[in-house]
Amino acid sequence: MTESQQFSRYEKARIIGARALQVSYGAPVLVDTDQTEPILIAAEEYDADALPFTVRREN
């Protein structure tokens, strides 16, 4: 995620949800955290700008 890119709440929900699914299936966690719930881990990763997701918008 780049600093200049702003995500809508729907894009944010989709990114965090997709990442939580990955974590629940055993993907490595990208930030140091004490959380155990995949959705909370994904939210922390999102807040830390650690997620390598790209959002393509169709005009």
Side-chain angles (χ1 to χ4, degrees), residues 29-37 40-42 44-45:
V29 177
L30 303 176
V31 295
D32 291 332
T33 181
D34 295 329
Q35 299 294 336
T36 57
E37 292 292 321
L40 299 176
I41 293 169
E44 280 194 26
E45 290 177 338

Side-chain angles (χ1 to χ4, degrees), residues 12-31 33-47 51 53:
K12 180 180 176 180
R14 178 68 174 96
I15 291 167
I16 292 174
R19 180 61 184 152
L21 185 64
Q22 291 175 349
V23 171
S24 71
Y25 280 111
V29 177
L30 303 176
V31 295
T33 181
D34 295 329
Q35 299 294 336
T36 57
E37 292 292 321
I39 194 74
L40 299 176
I41 293 169
E44 280 194 26
E45 290 177 338
Y46 180 88
D47 291 338
L51 298 179
F53 283 90

